[in-house]
């Protein structure tokens, strides 16, 4: 089901159910410690509804984080008619009532992604000024993280300028997920400091030197991948959406599991379909997850070192056999852990560096033109005096964005 057909279906379903019941749609936050089975029990829905899901889909049930925003439509008599519960930025659980009972499916989240440009002069601080103008707190946080290795933020003065080019997903008029900054620039002390995101998803300065180096060790001594990471994919045979927010490694039961990096254990216990799980928080809001363990060794609150044994491979939870499900998250967003394992520390070189420099020169000219001409920002939600007409979007696109 594509996004358009899903939206049409949702509208028809809502109109139909509202015609039968006096229903109310609520926008809620997923409660701390609540699992999906307990959520079903709250509305007297049989847990057997989960049995229609396969292994990968069932694991998504364990991806519902505390504080996750979701939607419910409940009849005046307390009967749940429909619920949309995101398991991340890309996929969501669709639970709905039919004349024959409840059904559950995994579908994509409908959103619109666009490129935005923000440029402003500092009045108080980059952090507070971005929040005030763009109304996007996560953008402010990401801007600081991206430039922290290039700019001394304590030395920024009133009147210094900044510019950001970023992609943002929007859902129902609100931003979802972490903004994806493509270019960030800070003009301070008469010097412009640039940071560029390259096609390898890493950040570099103007000379092509990597700025943020994040390397993960292997979670097992011997790696054998049995299932790869994917955000959302329409299965051509099953004719439905699939997602697997991690990498599965086949291994014998009892094989030692290793911490991928230094960090602090934030969770050690049972987590629904993931069985026995350990979560470790690392620097810069990275979190690793190690699921289906047979025995947990590391305890909650314990500090661990890269390569330290934290548990042992098993098949607890919803698992068809011994393996390690290895997940990686940045600011709560699932990302492909294999992009972070065994990265080379040599940086860009050869043809890769030449391609980066060509791309950098193009983007530098564009952002300098926008900046020097004091072009207005193309922002999604801000006060009227700072907003721009839709034609500005064409202006930026014509420049090459």
């Amino acid at each position: 089901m594509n996004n358009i057909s899903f939206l049409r279906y949702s509208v028809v379903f809502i109109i139909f159910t509202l015609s039968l019941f006096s229903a109310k749609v609520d926008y809620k936050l997923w409660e701390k410690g609540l699992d999906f089975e307990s959520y079903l029990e709250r509305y007297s829905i049989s847990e057997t509804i989960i049995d229609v899901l396969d292994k990968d889909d069932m694991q998504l049930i364990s991806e519902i984080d505390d504080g996750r925003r979701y939607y419910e439509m409940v009849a005046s008599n307390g009967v749940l008619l429909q619920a949309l519960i995101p398991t991340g930025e890309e996929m969501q659980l669709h639970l709905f009532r039919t004349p024959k009972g409840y059904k559950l499916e995994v579908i994509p989240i409908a959103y619109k992604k666009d490129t935005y440009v923000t440029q402003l002069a500092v009045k108080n601080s980059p952090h507070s000024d971005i929040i005030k103008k763009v109304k996007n707190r996560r953008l402010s946080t990401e801007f600081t993280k991206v430039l922290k290795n290039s700019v001394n933020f304590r030395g920024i003065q009133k009147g210094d300028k900044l510019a950001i080019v970023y992609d943002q997903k929007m859902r129902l008029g609100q931003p979802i997920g972490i903004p994806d900054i493509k270019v960030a620039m800070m003009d301070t002390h008469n010097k412009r400091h640039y940071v560029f995101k390259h096609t390898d998803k890493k950040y570099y300065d103007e000379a092509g030197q990597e700025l943020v180096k994040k390397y993960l060790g292997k979670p097992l001594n011997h790696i054998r991948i049995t299932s790869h990471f994917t955000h959302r994919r329409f299965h051509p045979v099953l004719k439905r959406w699939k997602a697997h927010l991690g990498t599965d490694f086949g291994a014998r039961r009892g094989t030692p599991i290793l911490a991928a990096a230094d960090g602090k254990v934030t969770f050690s216990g049972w987590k629904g379909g993931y069985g026995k799980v350990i979560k470790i928080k690392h620097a810069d809001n990275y979190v690793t997850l190690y699921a289906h363990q047979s025995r947990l060794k590391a305890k909650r609150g314990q500090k661990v070192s890269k390569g330290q044994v934290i548990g042992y491979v098993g098949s607890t939870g919803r698992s068809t056999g011994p393996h390690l499900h290895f997940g990686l998250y940045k600011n709560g967003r699932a990302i492909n852990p294999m992009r972070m394992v065994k990265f080379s520390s040599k940086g860009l070189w050869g043809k890769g560096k030449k391609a980066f420099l060509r791309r950098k020169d193009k983007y530098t000219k564009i952002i300098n033109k926008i900046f020097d001409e004091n072009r207005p920002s193309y922002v999604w939600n801000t006060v009227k005096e700072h907003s721009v007409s839709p034609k500005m979007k064409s202006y930026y696109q014509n420049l090459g964005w």
Side-chain angles (χ1 to χ4, degrees):
M1 183 185 297
N2 58 33
N3 289 346
I4 295 176
S5 60
F6 166 66
L7 288 174
R8 289 174 179 169
Y9 168 80
S10 298
V11 171
V12 172
F13 182 79
I14 290 172
I15 293 174
F16 172 73
T17 51
L18 286 177
S19 66
L20 298 177
F21 303 94
S22 175
K24 180 176 67 172
V25 177
D26 285 330
Y27 183 54
K28 296 183 176 180
L29 298 178
W30 194 259
E31 300 167 29
K32 184 177 182 180
L34 180 65
D35 57 38
F36 189 68
E37 289 84 349
S38 298
Y39 178 80
L40 294 176
E41 184 179 354
R42 176 180 295 175
Y43 289 105
S44 301
I45 301 173
S46 173
E47 291 184 16
T48 58
I49 193 174
I50 300 174
D51 295 340
V52 302
L53 304 180
D54 64 16
K55 179 177 71 71
D56 290 344
D57 291 336
M58 287 191 294
Q59 287 186 341
L60 290 179
I61 292 175
S62 300
E63 296 285 346
I64 308 173
D65 293 329
D66 299 339
R68 178 79 68 183
R69 299 176 186 271
Y70 69 101
Y71 294 87
E72 277 187 350
M73 183 164 61
V74 181
S76 58
N77 60 0
V79 174
L80 178 68
L81 302 178
Q82 184 174 206
L84 292 172
I85 306 171
T87 59
E89 289 186 26
E90 299 286 344
M91 305 299 289
Q92 60 188 342
L93 299 174
H94 181 209
L95 176 65
F96 56 100
R97 190 169 184 261
T98 73
K100 295 183 179 181
Y102 284 94
K103 290 188 177 182
L104 179 66
E105 60 183 354
V106 177
I107 60 175
I109 293 176
Y111 63 79
K112 178 182 178 182
K113 185 171 75 171
D114 211 341
T115 300
Y116 301 86
V117 178
T118 290
Q119 65 99 353
L120 57 85
V122 174
K123 293 183 179 179
N124 296 301
S125 71
H127 182 75
S128 62
D129 291 335
I130 292 172
I131 294 174
K132 182 177 180 180
K133 179 172 183 179
V134 190
K135 307 296 189 298
N136 192 330
R137 185 175 294 274
R138 284 182 168 179
L139 177 64
S140 177
T141 300
E142 285 299 294
F143 176 79
T144 303
K145 289 179 181 178
V146 167
L147 275 168
K148 70 178 183 180
N149 294 305
S150 302
V151 175
N152 177 13
F153 280 89
R154 293 183 178 180
I156 292 176
Q157 302 174 343
K158 184 177 181 179
D160 288 346
K161 298 179 180 180
L162 63 87
I164 317 169
V165 179
Y166 63 101
D167 288 346
Q168 177 68 66
K169 297 174 184 176
M170 300 292 295
R171 183 192 190 203
L172 300 177
Q174 295 294 323
I176 62 170
I178 307 299
D180 185 9
I181 294 179
K182 303 298 185 182
V183 184
M185 187 271 284
M186 188 78 223
D187 188 337
T188 180
H189 300 292
N190 296 317
K191 179 176 174 57
R192 293 182 179 178
H193 303 268
Y194 281 92
V195 171
F196 302 86
K197 190 172 190 178
H198 194 35
T199 52
D200 61 3
K201 310 300 182 183
K202 297 161 70 176
Y203 286 102
Y204 297 87
D205 63 14
E206 292 181 80
Q209 296 297 312
E210 186 181 351
L211 295 174
V212 181
K213 297 182 179 180
K214 291 293 174 189
Y215 310 115
L216 295 178
K218 296 182 295 184
L220 300 172
N221 280 324
H222 302 286
I223 296 297
R224 179 170 63 87
I225 298 177
T226 57
S227 185
H228 291 273
F229 176 97
T230 177
H231 266 304
R232 57 196 271 178
R233 181 176 73 95
F234 190 76
H235 199 286
V237 177
L238 299 177
K239 303 299 181 183
R240 62 188 180 87
W241 291 94
K242 296 277 294 174
H244 185 245
L245 303 183
T247 301
D248 286 351
F249 301 104
R252 291 182 179 181
R253 178 184 175 86
T255 300
I257 298 172
L258 314 176
D262 296 348
K264 183 177 181 180
V265 177
T266 58
F267 182 88
S268 180
W270 188 272
K271 187 172 176 61
Y274 278 152
K276 292 182 179 180
V277 168
I278 283 178
K279 284 186 175 183
I280 303 176
K281 184 174 183 180
H282 310 283
D284 293 333
N285 290 324
Y286 281 94
V287 172
T288 50
L289 176 147
Y290 313 77
H292 305 300
Q293 298 187 41
S294 60
R295 180 161 61 93
L296 306 172
K297 184 175 182 180
K299 307 296 182 182
R300 185 173 182 270
Q302 178 181 342
K303 292 184 178 180
V304 295
S305 301
K306 182 178 180 178
Q308 181 177 335
V309 176
I310 58 172
Y312 302 90
V313 169
S315 58
T316 55
R318 298 188 181 95
S319 171
T320 56
H323 73 284
L324 170 65
H325 174 87
F326 180 51
L328 176 65
Y329 301 81
K330 175 68 180 294
N331 295 314
R333 177 180 60 178
I335 57 180
N336 187 350
M338 298 311 293
R339 289 180 179 174
M340 303 290 288
V341 176
K342 298 177 68 175
F343 269 4
S344 170
S345 59
K346 295 180 180 180
L348 295 174
W349 59 283
K351 292 182 179 179
K353 186 169 184 177
K354 290 181 180 178
F356 166 80
L357 292 176
R358 287 195 299 269
R359 189 165 177 263
K360 181 265 299 186
D361 289 342
K362 171 188 173 182
Y363 289 166
T364 301
K365 290 177 181 177
I366 294 173
I367 204 167
N368 283 344
K369 181 177 178 63
I370 295 171
F371 199 80
D372 293 337
E373 295 180 0
N374 197 30
R375 292 286 183 171
S377 300
Y378 172 48
V379 295
W380 63 270
N381 180 18
T382 185
V383 293
K384 185 176 181 180
E385 60 185 348
H386 288 142
S387 63
V388 299
S389 63
K391 69 179 182 181
M392 285 306 302
K393 180 176 180 179
S394 298
Y395 169 80
Y396 293 124
Q397 289 175 336
N398 290 335
L399 285 179
W401 292 118

